Amino acid sequence: MHLPIRTVTPESESAAIIGWVHEIRDLGGLMFFLIRDRTGIIQVTIPKKKVPAEVLDAARDVSRESVVRVRGRVKAIDKAPGGREIVPDGLEIISLAGSPLPLDVAEKVPAEMDTRIDSRFLDARKPRVRAIFCIRSAVTCAATEFLHSRGCINITTPKIVAAATEGGTELFPIAYFEKEAFMNQSPQLYKQMMMAAGFEKVFEIGPIFRAEEHNTIRHLNEATSLDVEVSFADHNDVMELLEDLIVYVYESVAGTCGDDLAELGISLSIPGKPFPRIRYEEAIEIANRTIEDKLSFGDDLTPAAERAIGSGIGQHYFIVDWPTDIRPYYAMPYPDRPELCKAFDMMHPRMELSSGAQRVHDHDLLVERIRAKGLAPEAFEFYLKAFRYGMPPHAGWGLGIERLVMTMLDLGNIREAVLFPRDRHRLTP
RNA sequence: GCCCAGGUAGUGUAGUGGCCUAUCAUGACGGCCUGUCACGCCGUCGACACGGAUUCAAAUUCCGUCCUGGGCGCCA
């Protein structure tokens, strides 16, 4: 039996713990070890003349980052971290760590992202890295709770798909027995088909794959998307759902991840509802006041434009009413002004987090929209079929989990928000 | 894909033609040290990505290769 290190208090009489050797300080007659597990760090103090010989031998042999079991008396002592320390009766090396270490877990010396990812298992021993992933876990957990509470059904859609069905982004081709197949870029078509199934409200948290050769701090080739689709809803309904979700997730993290946030030095401020809605045409106007390369109607927002708008607003916001031409075929055009559509992006001041729309649910209009994008409706037969036998009006969005975590925790690089990032150059570990 | 910047001990760095058998820190090893908490002090160990070129002389300049970071493009 062993105790989580956090639960060992100055009032404890004795304790047995298992953890990694975080630091060793040898003062001569006295040795100090810091032992770390995922709950915290405790000091183990060894007065060399007073401990059993086996303890002394193990203390001399052990290396940093080895796994050790320690049992002994707990002493309340102000000078020790956490106000307590263990004086061991037993010290057992369970797994001796090699030396030198590929990176310094105690972070006396920093390591570059590349070095860190090469030894991600060691990097993730750092309390601040662990904290990021505990918070990410809380984020997806809170999002799942929230969507269940709103009556959404958690679905899983295929990640291996038949063809480059959506146009736009590049797909990763794979061999599927005798057929050509691709890694899916989004669950978009499948979650819409579940509207035709009458599931009414669905969500999925899953991987998406984009074969773009981008090389930035905010793109990954394998990312995690939170996708939602709701029937009998329009774009305004799902924007409200999205901002409710963001606020719920922030509140949940603030309420349950206090120690992790403290580890990261973050004091989380909960976004205020409603998020401002800015029309696309207003957005380019605002951006054009400050950016060099002016935008005109029909241009997508550049990163510089996103930052210019974001820094003025200073909080999460929506950009609504986009030109139909620069949104996907499934975005619903306004009937009275079809050059605009019921699409939106949800933005953090730093970057886009989510995009969504009310969808085209009319079969013939959808075919027309697909053609207008220069795509062949025949390639979409499996999808279009769902629009012929009673497709309800519906709307939805997709939200990048890594970007949500990145912006929530003010991380400098999206790779901080994923354990094993896949980017232009990295396929291992 | 275009552009910019890089690759020096395990890790993070200094060094832009000779002053470099390469700086500092961390680390490892040895020594001293009974209250450290980035412990301190002394000693030792360990590196110029690879290949070619220029030069009396290359970590430093040039060419090529490989690798990396970032900006942009692209990204429904």
Side-chain angles (χ1 to χ4, degrees):
Chain A
M1 265 309 288
H2 66 276
L3 295 168
I5 284 172
R6 180 200 300 279
T7 66
V8 180
T9 67
E11 289 74 41
S12 306
E13 285 188 7
S14 65
I17 57 156
I18 294 181
W20 285 259
V21 176
H22 191 68
E23 283 188 54
I24 302 170
R25 285 192 276 273
D26 184 349
L27 273 62
L30 197 58
M31 282 181 97
F32 296 102
F33 288 81
L34 295 182
I35 308 299
R36 182 197 68 243
D37 71 9
R38 67 173 190 164
T39 70
I41 289 179
I42 192 167
Q43 177 164 289
V44 171
T45 301
I46 299 178
K48 288 185 184 170
K49 290 177 183 164
K50 296 181 190 166
V51 295
E54 314 86 78
V55 170
L56 195 54
D57 289 344
R60 283 184 173 136
D61 291 344
V62 78
S63 54
R64 292 164 77 224
E65 294 305 320
S66 296
V67 180
V68 294
R69 177 184 286 122
V70 181
R71 59 181 171 74
R73 287 175 294 115
V74 176
K75 281 172 60 180
I77 187 159
D78 289 341
K79 283 180 278 192
R84 82 295 193 226
E85 65 185 13
I86 298 177
V87 179
D89 303 316
L91 171 60
E92 182 190 345
I93 301 172
I94 293 174
S95 180
L96 190 66
S99 177
L101 297 163
L103 56 81
D104 177 17
V105 177
E107 290 197 276
K108 286 179 189 172
V109 178
E112 292 194 350
M113 181 64 66
D114 195 48
T115 305
R116 293 174 50 200
I117 301 298
D118 280 341
S119 301
R120 190 56 146 164
F121 68 94
L122 265 182
D123 183 59
R125 291 183 191 176
K126 296 173 185 168
R128 54 164 267 108
V129 175
R130 199 216 68 251
I132 291 169
F133 291 101
C134 287
I135 291 170
R136 180 179 158 133
S137 172
V139 164
T140 52
C141 180
T144 301
E145 276 169 16
F146 172 83
L147 291 166
H148 273 144
S149 79
R150 295 296 183 96
C152 297
I153 298 171
N154 187 185
I155 62 168
T156 301
T157 61
K159 305 308 154 203
I160 303 173
V161 297
T165 46
E166 288 187 54
T169 190
E170 294 291 320
L171 304 187
F172 288 110
I174 58 171
Y176 191 75
F177 305 110
E178 71 280 5
K179 290 177 179 152
E180 184 183 47
F182 299 89
M183 304 301 293
N184 90 308
Q185 67 181 90
S186 112
Q188 180 63 33
L189 275 41
Y190 292 95
K191 64 180 181 172
Q192 286 191 262
M193 285 191 277
M194 296 319 291
M195 299 298 97
F199 276 34
E200 192 169 327
K201 300 176 181 178
V202 301
F203 77 100
E204 173 167 21
I205 299 176
I208 57 171
F209 305 91
R210 308 267 165 110
E212 301 290 342
E213 297 193 354
H214 33 48
N215 188 12
T216 78
I217 56 166
R218 62 189 184 284
H219 288 97
L220 294 165
N221 292 294
E222 178 176 357
T224 310
S225 177
L226 167 55
D227 268 87
V228 168
E229 203 69 27
V230 182
S231 288
F232 315 114
D234 65 13
H235 53 306
N236 290 312
D237 296 325
V238 292
M239 278 192 277
E240 278 176 40
L241 181 70
L242 176 53
E243 66 189 359
D244 285 349
L245 177 134
I246 295 293
V247 170
Y248 182 88
V249 166
Y250 267 72
E251 282 174 343
S252 180
V253 167
T256 63
C257 302
D259 291 339
D260 293 320
L261 290 167
E263 181 68 49
L264 293 163
I266 301 276
S267 91
L268 207 58
S269 60
I270 312 298
K273 284 188 290 194
F275 298 172
R277 267 73 164 167
I278 297 174
R279 288 182 301 105
Y280 166 84
E281 287 164 294
E282 292 174 315
I284 56 174
E285 228 172 80
I286 294 167
N288 281 344
R289 284 178 210 151
T290 49
I291 60 172
E292 300 228 341
D293 296 322
K294 305 301 182 194
L295 299 174
S296 46
F297 185 89
D299 289 336
D300 211 339
L301 297 184
T302 59
E306 290 181 357
R307 285 189 295 268
I309 300 161
S311 65
I313 294 175
Q315 66 160 99
H316 294 79
Y317 64 101
F318 286 101
I319 301 176
V320 302
D321 298 349
W322 287 73
T324 306
D325 282 351
I326 57 171
R327 301 299 289 210
Y329 56 80
Y330 47 74
M332 176 76 94
Y334 280 98
D336 54 339
R337 203 183 162 192
E339 71 274 20
L340 294 182
C341 65
K342 299 181 180 181
F344 59 86
D345 279 357
M346 196 276 284
M347 313 291 296
H348 179 273
R350 287 176 71 190
M351 69 185 80
E352 176 188 336
L353 298 186
S354 171
S355 66
Q358 182 178 337
R359 321 301 190 183
V360 176
H361 63 280
D362 178 81
H363 175 273
D364 295 347
L365 177 58
L366 187 55
V367 170
E368 187 188 313
R369 294 298 314 145
I370 290 171
R371 287 213 174 94
K373 291 285 176 186
L375 299 167
E378 300 72 43
F380 297 84
E381 176 52 27
F382 77 97
Y383 168 67
L384 287 169
K385 189 175 180 183
F387 290 75
R388 284 186 210 121
Y389 305 97
M391 172 63 96
H394 59 280
W397 41 260
L399 169 71
I401 294 292
E402 286 83 9
R403 287 188 175 190
L404 177 62
V405 172
M406 177 188 184
T407 52
M408 175 183 280
L409 303 181
D410 200 24
L411 305 175
N413 190 318
I414 198 165
R415 294 167 182 84
E416 296 274 10
V418 55
L419 284 169
F420 298 103
R422 288 291 174 265
D423 62 32
R424 177 70 188 80
H425 300 289
R426 185 177 282 281
L427 199 49
T428 59

